[in-house]
């Protein structure tokens, strides 16, 4: 090896060392950005989540010693009629409210994407139920839909529906789920409308002009330009809505408390009951695990589909 | 068709009619709430509805402050909401910068940790979380609720999505100019991310202000309670005093309305950045 060759090799070594040092420094800088949030997140969210999964395989009432349960809690799911009702109610809630909310949000967005007078006011009005306190609006909702005295049934009565045919809303097992779903759509569609509005504004207007030149009418433009262009937005909204509806709890708690009977009992409500009412922490964590798997399946399937697109 | 001398197309008229009808339906419960808050209990359910009471009962708005410690509840909620919102904005935008613009080992794994919990219902881990907080001696403190709300996956995700849309060239140029990463975050990213920060402010403010189950689990002492559990307590104590309940509900809605109206012009932009770029 000549001197010059040796020199080159030496320099290369120095460069490798300093490169590695740079990389460590860069990583430390990056970690310093993440640390304040991640530490709080790890302690107060990730930790409890892992603990919850472990609890699913334990028996515990919160005070007596924990004992290992194996699959006891899992087998119990199949013998618990309340769980089976809660499972199907959650699926029904999702299957009905996701497409309806999506359609309402999209329809509203298309209407309010036009240059109409006062559209900012209209947009704000549609969005407001989403930000309004659930406790406050649920109280109003309960009063407005009160089967005996509420203005909705009064109105139905005045237009000629006989008292025995008036819906019982939250008090009637056949109407309770419908009441919860209507409330959910009313409360959340403004939010998804805003997402759709953002999507609509991202569509290139030349596409509409081209479609217009080809003689497309408004409906054809909607089907052949708007809908395909909005596909990524629809994907996002569907995933968000599905996950949200698997998690439904607050509105059920405030409006029907899961009843009458088990007609509006949903998974999260059952988790809440088993945990904070029965203090059966192991079993409630097993239901939570089922809920998690449900959410996981939807998320993974949707992300696969998005990647294929 | 002609209205006030202007020609109006039928389709335009249909659009206006539809929009107005939907808006009325959306706002009707609020109008009913406002109207009921100015009535005597026995008039609340009178039908047909007297939307503007002939003799508005302003006394309801005076009485609620003495029937429950409403001012204290509002103070508690404001304190929690402001602290949580500030912590959330700072730590999320800080972490999001690293996830969007820096490279480091385990970046994807750590980010996956955040993503995985976005879908995770809080109710799944609220029990272990409660036991942990109890272990730390934090039950019946506001600190428990601050820790619970201030470090969310959603905040990091939202800010990251926004930062991804800012061209990398901007950071590269700043690095060549000799700025360090902290300066880039403070002088370039933060000023550019006003829409995303506004969105996150609305979300955090609204979520914390409206949170119900968290305070219900952690705060059993009346002097620590927030407006939502205070409201709920009021409803169960005075269940037939509809006028008062509605007045308290209106008061609980006002701060959210104010923040929302003040920041809503950033809103469409902000939600766009969270919704469109995966």
């Amino acid at each position: 090896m000549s001197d010059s060759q040796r020199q080159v090799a030496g320099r290369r070594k120095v460069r490798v060392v300093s490169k590695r040092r740079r990389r460590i420094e860069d990583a430390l800088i990056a970690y310093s950005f993440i640390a304040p949030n991640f530490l709080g997140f790890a302690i107060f969210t990730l930790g409890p989540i892992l603990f919850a999964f472990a609890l699913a395989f334990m028996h515990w009432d919160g005070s007596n010693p924990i004992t290992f349960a194996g699959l006891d809690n899992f087998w119990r799911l199949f013998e618990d009629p309340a769980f089976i009702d809660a499972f199907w109610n959650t699926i029904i809630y999702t299957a009905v409210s996701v497409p309806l909310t999506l359609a309402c949000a999209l329809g509203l967005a298309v209407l309010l994407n036009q240059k109409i007078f006062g559209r900012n006011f209209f947009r704000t009005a549609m969005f407001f139920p989403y930000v309004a306190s659930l406790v406050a609006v649920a109280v109003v909702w309960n009063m407005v839909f009160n089967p005996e005295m509420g203005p909705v049934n009064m109105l139905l009565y005045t237009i000629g529906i006989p008292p025995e045919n008036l819906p019982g809303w939250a008090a009637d097992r056949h109407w309770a789920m419908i009441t919860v779903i209507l409330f959910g759509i009313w409360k959340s569609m403004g939010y998804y409308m805003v997402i759709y509005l953002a999507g609509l504004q991202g569509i290139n207007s030349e596409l509409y002009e081209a479609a217009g030149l080809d003689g497309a009418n408004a409906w054809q433009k909607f089907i052949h330009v708007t809908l395909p262009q909005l596909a990524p937005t629809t994907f996002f909204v569907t995933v968000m809505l599905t996950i949200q509806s698997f998690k439904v709890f607050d509105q059920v708690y405030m409006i029907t408390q899961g009843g009458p009977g088990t007609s509006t009992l949903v998974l999260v409500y059952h988790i809440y009951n088993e945990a904070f009412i029965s203090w059966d922490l192991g079993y409630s964590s097993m239901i939570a695990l089922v809920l998690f798997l449900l959410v996981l399946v939807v998320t993974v399937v949707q992300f696969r589909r998005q990647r294929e697109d | 068709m002609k209205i006030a001398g202007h020609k109006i197309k039928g389709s335009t008229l249909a659009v206006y009619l539809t929009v107005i009808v939907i808006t009325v339906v959306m706002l009707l419960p609020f109008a009913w709430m406002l109207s009921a808050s100015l009535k005597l209990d026995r008039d609340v359910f009178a039908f047909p509805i007297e939307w503007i009471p002939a003799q508005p009962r302003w006394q309801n708005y005076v009485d609620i402050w003495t029937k429950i410690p409403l001012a204290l509840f509002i103070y508690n909620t404001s304190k929690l909401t402001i602290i949580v919102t500030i912590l959330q904005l700072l730590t999320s935008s800080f972490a999001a910068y690293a996830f969007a613009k820096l490279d480091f080992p385990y970046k994807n794994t750590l980010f996956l940790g955040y993503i995985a919990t976005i879908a995770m219902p809080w109710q799944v881990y609220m029990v272990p979380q409660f036991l942990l907080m109890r272990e730390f001696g934090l039950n019946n403190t506001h600190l428990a609720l601050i820790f619970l709300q201030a470090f969310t996956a959603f905040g990091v995700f939202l800010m990251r999505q926004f930062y991804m849309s800012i061209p990398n060239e901007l950071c590269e140029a700043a690095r060549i100019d000799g700025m360090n990463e902290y300066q880039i975050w403070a002088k370039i990213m933060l000023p550019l991310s006003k829409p995303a920060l506004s969105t996150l402010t609305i979300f955090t403010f609204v979520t914390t202000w409206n949170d119900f189950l968290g305070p219900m689990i952690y705060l059993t002492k009346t002097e620590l309670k927030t407006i939502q559990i205070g409201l709920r307590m009021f409803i169960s104590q005075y269940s037939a005093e509809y006028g008062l309940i509605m007045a308290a509900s209106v008061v609980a809605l006002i701060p959210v309305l104010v923040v929302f109206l003040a920041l809503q012009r950033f809103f469409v932009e902000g939600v766009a950045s969270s919704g469109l770029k995966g």
Side-chain angles (χ1 to χ4, degrees):
Chain A
M1 207 188 274
S2 74
D3 272 4
S4 64
Q5 275 176 320
R6 223 167 270 151
Q7 256 180 345
V8 170
R11 233 181 272 151
R12 207 171 274 159
K13 207 173 181 184
V14 170
R15 209 177 292 155
V16 167
V17 169
S18 70
K19 210 175 173 187
R20 180 186 290 166
R21 207 170 134 186
R22 263 270 334 258
R23 205 178 287 159
I24 294 173
E25 273 173 16
D26 283 354
L28 285 178
I29 290 174
Y31 287 137
S32 76
F33 273 98
I34 290 167
N37 192 284
F38 191 76
L39 287 179
F41 174 72
I43 296 170
F44 297 107
T45 303
L46 279 182
I49 287 173
L50 297 177
F51 189 18
F53 288 158
L55 263 181
F57 303 95
M58 307 286 163
H59 287 305
W60 202 28
D61 63 0
S63 45
N64 288 313
I66 301 187
T67 55
F68 183 67
L71 291 175
D72 284 6
N73 293 324
F74 178 72
W75 298 123
R76 218 182 116 184
L77 293 174
F78 300 93
E79 288 149 18
D80 175 9
F83 166 77
I84 293 165
D85 286 348
F87 182 85
W88 288 114
N89 284 340
T90 307
I91 301 288
I92 290 168
Y93 178 83
T94 305
V96 177
S97 76
V98 170
L100 282 179
T101 313
L102 195 122
C104 291
L106 176 59
L108 275 180
V110 169
L111 277 177
L112 290 179
N113 195 42
Q114 303 178 63
K115 289 190 181 67
I116 62 172
F117 178 75
R119 69 175 177 174
N120 276 337
F121 166 77
F122 291 125
R123 286 175 180 181
T124 311
M126 309 285 181
F127 190 80
F128 190 59
Y130 181 78
V131 296
S133 139
L134 190 100
V135 180
V137 293
V139 181
V140 188
W141 196 266
N142 275 334
M143 290 189 182
V144 172
F145 282 83
N146 184 307
E148 273 106 48
M149 311 184 281
V152 171
N153 270 10
M154 286 293 182
L155 184 74
L156 293 176
Y157 178 72
T158 22
I159 61 170
I161 295 173
E164 64 273 17
N165 288 349
L166 286 175
W169 302 113
D172 181 330
R173 59 163 50 243
H174 302 293
W175 283 91
M177 184 55 98
I178 297 170
T179 313
V180 172
I181 289 173
L182 282 177
F183 180 72
I185 295 173
W186 172 80
K187 193 152 186 350
S188 67
M189 72 177 181
Y191 173 73
Y192 296 99
M193 174 202 75
V194 172
I195 295 181
Y196 265 123
L197 274 171
L200 286 170
Q201 271 146 29
I203 300 177
N204 192 338
S205 59
E206 285 170 19
L207 292 171
Y208 289 109
E209 284 158 25
L213 289 178
D214 290 342
N217 61 30
W219 176 248
Q220 286 166 327
K221 281 181 193 167
F222 176 75
I223 295 291
H224 296 292
V225 180
T226 312
L227 275 186
Q229 289 289 313
L230 282 179
T233 313
T234 303
F235 158 75
F236 177 79
V237 171
T238 311
V239 174
M240 293 288 283
L241 266 173
T242 310
I243 292 171
Q244 286 305 325
S245 56
F246 281 151
K247 296 201 271 193
V248 63
F249 173 76
D250 289 12
Q251 71 207 49
V252 177
Y253 185 89
M254 288 302 298
I255 290 184
T256 61
Q257 282 87 45
T262 53
S263 58
T264 55
L265 188 74
V266 287
L267 283 175
V268 174
Y269 207 98
H270 199 37
I271 295 171
Y272 174 84
N273 277 341
E274 291 298 329
F276 286 107
I277 310 296
S278 315
W279 287 93
D280 197 339
L281 305 182
Y283 184 54
S284 88
S285 298
M286 181 52 80
I287 308 167
L289 193 62
V290 172
L291 176 65
F292 170 71
L293 291 176
L294 218 55
V295 169
L296 189 73
V297 166
V298 171
T299 314
V300 168
V301 167
Q302 297 278 19
F303 270 91
R304 280 257 168 81
R305 227 190 62 192
Q306 189 198 32
R307 206 161 280 172
E308 278 165 21
D309 293 344
Chain B
M1 189 167 193
K2 270 184 152 190
I3 291 178
H6 295 281
K7 259 200 171 158
I8 295 191
K9 277 203 306 196
S11 60
T12 317
L13 199 71
V15 167
Y16 272 102
L17 272 179
T18 320
V19 167
I20 289 169
V21 168
I22 298 171
T23 308
V24 168
V25 171
M26 294 300 277
L27 292 184
L28 221 50
F30 296 108
W32 195 82
M33 175 192 256
L34 202 61
S35 163
S37 75
L38 295 171
K39 288 178 184 168
L40 282 171
D41 301 329
R42 59 180 155 80
D43 297 333
V44 165
F45 287 110
F47 196 84
I49 303 165
E50 189 192 3
W51 287 102
I52 300 168
Q55 287 168 315
R57 205 182 130 77
W58 299 104
Q59 190 64 29
N60 285 345
Y61 281 91
V62 178
D63 289 348
I64 46 170
W65 300 92
T66 50
K67 291 253 177 171
I68 45 164
L70 196 61
L72 181 66
F73 293 158
I74 290 176
Y75 168 77
N76 287 339
T77 322
S78 314
K79 176 186 141 190
L80 281 175
T81 306
I82 290 167
I83 294 174
V84 167
T85 306
I86 290 172
L87 274 176
Q88 172 87 277
L89 290 179
L90 271 179
T91 66
S92 298
S93 66
F94 216 50
Y97 175 65
F99 281 122
K101 298 293 177 209
L102 302 175
D103 247 327
F104 53 91
Y106 305 112
K107 174 167 144 174
N108 291 335
T109 317
L110 289 178
F111 193 63
L112 196 71
Y114 278 104
I115 294 287
T117 60
I118 283 189
M120 179 77 65
W122 173 63
Q123 288 84 359
V124 169
Y125 57 94
M126 68 183 174
V127 178
Q129 197 178 44
F130 177 76
L131 300 169
L132 180 83
M133 297 275 196
R134 198 175 64 177
E135 207 60 32
F136 291 158
L138 291 176
N139 50 344
N140 264 314
T141 64
H142 284 159
L143 207 56
L145 290 167
I146 292 169
F147 285 145
L148 192 105
Q149 313 243 30
F151 313 103
T152 63
F154 174 77
V156 175
F157 182 72
L158 183 98
M159 294 307 298
R160 174 190 172 267
Q161 296 305 88
F162 188 81
Y163 288 159
M164 296 291 272
S165 70
I166 296 174
N168 286 334
E169 287 78 12
L170 217 57
C171 303
E172 289 303 333
R175 275 178 205 127
I176 290 165
D177 287 348
M179 272 195 193
N180 66 36
E181 301 299 331
Y182 304 105
Q183 287 168 325
I184 297 176
W185 171 78
K187 293 189 176 146
I188 295 176
M189 288 303 190
L190 221 45
L192 280 176
S193 53
K194 265 186 208 151
L197 289 172
S198 306
T199 309
L200 191 54
T201 305
I202 295 181
F203 274 114
T204 314
F205 189 95
V206 166
T207 314
T208 318
W209 186 274
N210 289 342
D211 188 24
F212 166 63
L213 196 52
M216 190 169 83
I217 292 171
Y218 284 97
L219 309 173
T220 51
K221 289 186 184 150
T222 305
E223 66 266 29
L224 291 174
K225 281 185 177 168
T226 61
I227 181 93
Q228 305 307 336
I229 36 170
L231 196 59
R232 173 82 192 174
M233 188 178 86
F234 188 46
I235 294 164
S236 44
Q237 273 176 14
Y238 300 92
S239 58
E241 305 208 27
Y242 309 109
L244 288 177
I245 290 173
M246 288 296 102
S249 302
V250 171
V251 170
L253 284 180
I254 289 170
V256 166
L257 180 67
V258 170
V259 168
F260 174 59
L261 290 180
L263 292 177
Q264 62 121 357
R265 73 191 178 93
F266 292 109
F267 202 82
V268 172
E269 272 176 273
V271 174
S273 63
S274 77
L276 297 181
K277 291 136 210 147

